[in-house]
Amino acid sequence: MPKIDAHVAGECQALLLNFECLIAGEFGLDYSITDALSIPLQTSTLRNEARTSAMRSMQANHYREVMDYIESYRSELPDSVYADPSYSFRVYLIYGLDSFEPFSRSHFRPYGTMGLTGG
């Protein structure tokens, strides 16, 4: 359901990172998936008209129901779980050029350290 992608991307990313830690921890770095999954996952954007029509119909009928379930589930989580990056990986990408370098390096800051809120 593509309409909910942005709402659950953090949880999906955290799941993938947790899975990677489990695989590498249990079976060793030779079985790591890090190098194979260095970009966001997308199975396909090519769909026939019948499938696209069916997806639109399902999304129109169930989007609010799915979002209500997600919001209800999240509201029941303890704050310590909801804020934990192992539950939901949240980053903000803010582009900026360093005044002394033509191409600045990216800088990552933990969620919540920039005065931004959301989830």
Side-chain angles (χ1 to χ4, degrees), residues 85-102:
S86 66
Y87 169 74
S88 183
F89 184 80
R90 299 175 183 103
V91 295
Y92 291 95
L93 301 177
I94 301 172
Y95 177 77
L97 292 178
D98 188 318
S99 60
F100 298 106
E101 298 179 27

Side-chain angles (χ1 to χ4, degrees), residues 60-80:
N61 294 330
H62 298 290
Y63 172 77
R64 187 72 256 154
E65 181 181 337
V66 171
M67 285 305 301
D68 288 346
Y69 174 81
I70 291 169
E71 290 165 5
S72 173
Y73 176 82
R74 287 175 178 165
S75 72
E76 298 295 321
L77 292 172
D79 290 341
S80 62

Side-chain angles (χ1 to χ4, degrees), residues 1-15 66-67 70-71 74 87-89 119:
M1 189 177 276
K3 286 176 96 174
I4 67 166
D5 287 357
H7 299 284
V8 297
E11 284 104 334
C12 293
Q13 183 64 47
L15 173 72
V66 171
M67 285 305 301
I70 291 169
E71 290 165 5
R74 287 175 178 165
Y87 169 74
S88 183
F89 184 80

